[in-house]
Amino acid sequence: MTVLKADILIEGPAASGDALVLGAPISFWGGVDPFTGDIIDARHPDRGQNISGKVLALPGTIGSSSASAVLLELVRTHRAPAAIILHEPDAILLLGLIVAREMGWATPIALKLDRETQKGLAGKLKVGADGAIVV
Amino acid sequence: MTILTENERAVAAGTDGTAMAMRIVAESARLLGAPRLIPVQSAHIDGALYHGDAGTLFAEELVRLGAKATIRATLNVGALDLMGCSKSRLTGATRDMAKRLMLAYEAMGCEKSWTCAPYQAGHRPALGTDVAWGESNAVAFCNSVLGARTNRYGDYLDIACAITGRAPDCGLHRPANRLATVIFDVSALPAQLFTSDWIWPVLGTLYGREIGSSIGVVIGVSGPASEDKLKAFGAAAASSGGVGLFHITEVTPEAPDVNTATGGLPTQHIVVTPAMVRTAQSGLSTIQGAASIDAVAIGSPHLSLEELESVCQLLASRPARVPIYACTGRHVVREADRTGLRKTLERLNVIVVADTCVVVTPILPAIDGILMTNSGKFAHYAPGNTGYGVVYGSMADCIESAVAGRPVITDAVLTP
């Protein structure tokens, strides 16, 4: 058992779920279906996977100004990831969580962990509200 | 760490809509690493385009909590043509939520401009002022051609800035971040090329692809560049490369010369060859050698009155065999109604689309069709958003092709 300590970007409750470490950066707008959580970008290596309930690790994000809208819709319908781990903060994507919290919707925790360390994430993971990731 | 003023902290601690907006701006500033917030003079809001019910519920919550825009705020396109010029195929609950979203933004005191070219509808912030604009082409035009300062403000942050009159102090708000680090040299291209309209979206696409989110300065452009040409260049660059600011020497206000644009700092130099232009040009089409087309779509960004008038001149009273979807804002529609231009165009099979456009909402017939366009932005997004294949050509070729019902390409010749 290894415990990794990640920085907290957006606070949220402890969570657990299967790791989904994406093989390439993704644009949420056009890349993730806001109504199902499926990865729909035809050119993405993880196309066909579903991000709902996963501990989702993102090696990078491609900024679309509507990425926040996709994440907000997923949070509203309880189809968001259980936790989101980013290589670096993406203010546009995380705005979806900031707005969800203002709306009083249950928002997942968002953490910062570099993309090299992300590659070691696999299987069932536990994420603490303090940013500890139990691998 | 973002330090708020005492007044900003007091606002954020409240329970009304302004408090919610201030917390959203402050949290974004923290994630962006901005040391403080700065006042902004105006906003252009992209958040009123429907992407799901959550956006509608958020806007209606702000309305319920009494939030109002406190600075000038124009609205980008919505999903519906509220002027009734064209018909969207959205139905039922989706249509209702899309309409409620648009009405919520109007209720917050935003101007019913409903255009992606607000800078041609009278919203022109002064050189050097800080603003909070959304919509990638509007951001590029605002920064580059007007010389006002904005980052790209996406959904939700745009309206939060309009309500608070504040934005995070970072990125393109800071003069040092507006200097060019790349020279995009087009002086090797034939001079007469710059007088044609079709070259600008092609160059913009190439520029975006080569330079991405860095800041570049274009040198070697011959002759005057109209605002419509700069609009087309910026929109193409923003869609192919996320460009938020470009400079063109002797054209844009922060680039009287190369040294001013770069601040005298070292730069990378890209020499654009005719071969690069040819590749970029053919890359805008997804279909080669099509025997027919199903529609022509123009107006991304929204057509100016001059561009709409040119459609009428190019048609020269001949009806189009396939429909021409001409997307524009109500500022142009009002003028076109007053002069009878819209009626004339509609008789010739032109469908004027107001308040929205054919790539963000389903207006085109649901067929596996081929679309011809003169817009680099439509060429980029139409295949994914509409399912149509795309043929790219100049405005004149688009209109000739609509009359013929098949691609007629005469302007896109660039011999080696």
Side-chain angles (χ1 to χ4, degrees), chain A residues 27-64:
Chain A
S27 164
F28 265 58
W29 179 244
V32 177
D33 185 321
F35 305 109
T36 63
D38 289 340
I39 293 175
I40 51 174
D41 179 349
R43 289 175 296 272
H44 199 277
D46 298 301
R47 184 188 186 184
Q49 296 269 12
N50 186 291
I51 68 170
S52 303
K54 303 281 168 47
V55 174
L56 177 68
L58 301 167
T61 47
I62 300 165
S64 153

XYZ file of all heavy atoms in Angstrom, chain A residues 27-64:
279
model
N -10.255 17.523 -24.288
C -11.140 18.675 -24.166
C -12.486 18.143 -23.693
O -13.057 17.264 -24.332
C -11.304 19.360 -25.531
O -12.431 20.216 -25.488
N -12.976 18.624 -22.552
C -14.274 18.137 -22.084
C -15.356 18.495 -23.087
O -16.226 17.689 -23.376
C -14.607 18.702 -20.689
C -14.225 17.760 -19.589
C -12.910 17.328 -19.467
C -15.172 17.277 -18.693
C -12.543 16.439 -18.466
C -14.820 16.388 -17.689
C -13.503 15.970 -17.572
N -15.300 19.750 -23.633
C -16.295 20.131 -24.627
C -15.975 19.409 -25.938
O -14.889 19.552 -26.476
C -16.324 21.648 -24.840
C -17.337 22.002 -25.882
C -17.113 22.565 -27.079
C -18.739 21.759 -25.821
N -18.282 22.683 -27.776
C -19.288 22.198 -27.032
C -19.592 21.191 -24.861
C -20.658 22.106 -27.314
C -20.941 21.095 -25.137
C -21.458 21.561 -26.344
N -16.882 18.586 -26.399
C -16.636 17.819 -27.611
C -15.900 16.511 -27.353
O -15.834 15.658 -28.222
N -15.338 16.343 -26.148
C -14.587 15.134 -25.841
C -15.310 14.212 -24.875
O -15.068 13.007 -24.855
N -16.205 14.793 -24.057
C -16.962 14.007 -23.078
C -18.448 14.317 -23.263
O -18.839 15.481 -23.339
C -16.528 14.353 -21.631
C -17.362 13.588 -20.623
C -15.042 14.081 -21.426
N -19.261 13.281 -23.342
C -20.709 13.484 -23.501
C -21.291 14.005 -22.179
O -21.191 13.327 -21.155
C -21.361 12.152 -23.883
C -22.849 12.310 -24.186
O -23.543 13.096 -23.491
O -23.323 11.644 -25.109
N -21.876 15.232 -22.201
C -22.367 15.818 -20.942
C -23.545 15.056 -20.339
O -23.871 15.252 -19.171
C -22.787 17.230 -21.337
C -22.990 17.191 -22.808
C -22.081 16.126 -23.348
N -24.176 14.191 -21.109
C -25.363 13.493 -20.612
C -25.070 12.068 -20.166
O -25.877 11.459 -19.465
C -26.471 13.522 -21.675
C -26.784 14.933 -22.119
C -26.432 15.378 -23.388
C -27.397 15.837 -21.256
C -26.687 16.691 -23.789
C -27.657 17.145 -21.636
C -27.303 17.569 -22.911
N -23.916 11.502 -20.567
C -23.592 10.114 -20.186
C -22.244 9.972 -19.485
O -22.022 9.000 -18.763
C -23.530 9.216 -21.440
O -22.456 9.681 -22.278
C -24.835 9.245 -22.217
N -21.330 10.917 -19.717
C -19.971 10.771 -19.180
C -19.067 9.923 -20.061
O -17.917 9.653 -19.706
N -19.557 9.499 -21.223
C -18.715 8.731 -22.145
C -17.666 9.637 -22.805
O -17.963 10.788 -23.143
C -19.567 8.118 -23.281
C -20.437 6.984 -22.780
O -20.127 6.422 -21.711
O -21.437 6.666 -23.468
N -16.482 9.090 -23.024
C -15.469 9.807 -23.806
C -15.801 9.601 -25.285
O -15.850 8.467 -25.769
C -14.049 9.315 -23.465
C -13.728 9.705 -22.012
C -13.013 9.906 -24.431
C -12.406 9.197 -21.492
N -16.087 10.716 -25.981
C -16.622 10.623 -27.350
C -15.671 11.178 -28.400
O -15.940 11.097 -29.594
C -17.979 11.369 -27.468
C -17.851 12.788 -26.914
C -19.079 10.598 -26.753
C -19.088 13.646 -27.119
N -14.542 11.766 -27.961
C -13.586 12.303 -28.923
C -13.038 11.161 -29.773
O -12.364 10.264 -29.275
C -12.451 13.013 -28.165
C -11.392 13.586 -29.093
O -11.408 13.280 -30.302
O -10.536 14.343 -28.606
N -13.330 11.216 -31.077
C -12.978 10.109 -31.977
C -11.479 9.846 -32.021
O -11.057 8.728 -32.297
C -13.486 10.423 -33.388
N -10.669 10.888 -31.752
C -9.221 10.722 -31.847
C -8.569 10.414 -30.507
O -7.360 10.305 -30.414
C -8.602 11.992 -32.454
C -8.902 12.165 -33.938
C -8.370 13.486 -34.467
N -9.051 14.627 -33.832
C -10.173 15.154 -34.305
N -10.707 14.700 -35.403
N -10.736 16.161 -33.695
N -9.373 10.286 -29.435
C -8.789 10.070 -28.105
C -8.540 8.587 -27.841
O -9.390 7.759 -28.138
C -9.701 10.647 -27.024
C -8.976 10.858 -25.736
N -8.782 9.856 -24.821
C -8.336 11.948 -25.243
C -8.070 10.332 -23.799
N -7.799 11.600 -24.037
N -7.366 8.242 -27.266
C -7.062 6.816 -27.039
C -8.035 6.130 -26.076
O -8.164 4.897 -26.116
C -5.642 6.831 -26.456
C -5.392 8.241 -26.017
C -6.230 9.109 -26.907
N -8.702 6.876 -25.207
C -9.630 6.268 -24.247
C -11.087 6.401 -24.682
O -12.006 6.273 -23.859
C -9.428 6.903 -22.866
C -8.032 6.658 -22.348
O -7.673 5.479 -22.207
O -7.279 7.632 -22.150
N -11.297 6.639 -25.965
C -12.658 6.743 -26.475
C -13.464 5.504 -26.073
O -12.979 4.378 -26.168
C -12.646 6.857 -27.990
C -14.031 7.070 -28.520
C -14.102 7.007 -30.011
N -15.468 7.378 -30.366
C -15.957 7.365 -31.575
N -15.209 7.010 -32.577
N -17.198 7.709 -31.791
N -14.710 5.741 -25.616
C -15.568 4.618 -25.242
C -15.577 4.362 -23.745
O -16.503 3.745 -23.232
N -14.558 4.832 -23.011
C -14.559 4.718 -21.547
C -15.591 5.705 -20.988
O -15.951 6.682 -21.640
C -13.179 5.080 -20.982
C -12.080 4.142 -21.419
C -11.892 2.987 -20.440
O -12.710 2.764 -19.549
N -10.809 2.252 -20.624
N -16.024 5.453 -19.741
C -16.967 6.356 -19.086
C -16.322 6.913 -17.821
O -15.732 6.151 -17.046
C -18.262 5.597 -18.754
C -19.323 6.527 -18.209
O -19.207 7.044 -17.105
N -20.360 6.764 -19.001
N -16.408 8.229 -17.621
C -15.692 8.859 -16.501
C -16.522 8.910 -15.217
O -16.002 9.226 -14.158
C -15.215 10.288 -16.859
C -16.393 11.260 -17.038
C -14.341 10.279 -18.110
C -15.939 12.724 -17.151
N -17.816 8.581 -15.292
C -18.691 8.694 -14.115
C -18.210 7.776 -12.990
O -17.929 6.603 -13.226
C -20.119 8.315 -14.489
O -20.568 9.118 -15.547
N -18.112 8.317 -11.780
C -17.761 7.511 -10.610
C -16.311 7.088 -10.533
O -15.907 6.416 -9.581
N -15.513 7.454 -11.522
C -14.101 7.054 -11.539
C -13.242 8.064 -10.779
O -13.630 9.221 -10.611
C -13.586 6.967 -12.990
C -14.365 6.027 -13.882
C -13.963 4.580 -13.635
C -14.907 3.587 -14.295
N -15.252 3.872 -15.685
N -12.062 7.603 -10.338
C -11.030 8.547 -9.926
C -10.295 8.889 -11.224
O -9.515 8.090 -11.738
C -10.091 7.942 -8.872
C -8.953 8.898 -8.570
C -10.880 7.634 -7.593
N -10.636 10.050 -11.774
C -10.211 10.400 -13.129
C -8.912 11.207 -13.085
O -8.866 12.278 -12.484
C -11.304 11.223 -13.817
C -10.991 11.735 -15.227
C -10.903 10.581 -16.225
C -12.049 12.746 -15.681
N -7.858 10.658 -13.707
C -6.577 11.365 -13.745
C -6.357 11.920 -15.149
O -6.415 11.185 -16.135
C -5.444 10.424 -13.360
N -6.121 13.232 -15.231
C -5.984 13.921 -16.515
C -4.545 14.395 -16.692
O -4.082 15.276 -15.960
C -6.932 15.125 -16.565
C -8.418 14.815 -16.384
C -9.207 16.091 -16.124
C -8.968 14.106 -17.606
N -3.828 13.833 -17.680
C -2.448 14.264 -17.914
C -2.395 15.682 -18.480
O -1.366 16.339 -18.421
C -1.932 13.248 -18.940
C -3.153 12.761 -19.648
C -4.270 12.802 -18.637
N -3.506 16.148 -19.011
C -3.581 17.509 -19.556
C -5.000 17.762 -20.000
O -5.780 16.827 -20.197
N -5.347 19.048 -20.124
C -6.677 19.394 -20.624
C -6.494 20.369 -21.769
O -5.555 21.156 -21.778
C -7.544 20.052 -19.529
O -6.763 21.050 -18.884
C -8.023 19.041 -18.525
N -7.392 20.300 -22.743
C -7.375 21.226 -23.870
C -8.501 22.213 -23.608
O -9.652 21.818 -23.450
C -7.591 20.472 -25.198
C -6.472 19.447 -25.391
C -7.652 21.449 -26.363
C -6.758 18.411 -26.454
N -8.141 23.465 -23.483
C -9.110 24.462 -23.033
C -10.198 24.744 -24.041
O -9.937 25.262 -25.107
N -11.419 24.360 -23.713
C -12.555 24.892 -24.447
C -13.305 25.714 -23.428
O -13.405 25.325 -22.265
C -13.450 23.776 -24.957
O -14.775 24.258 -25.079
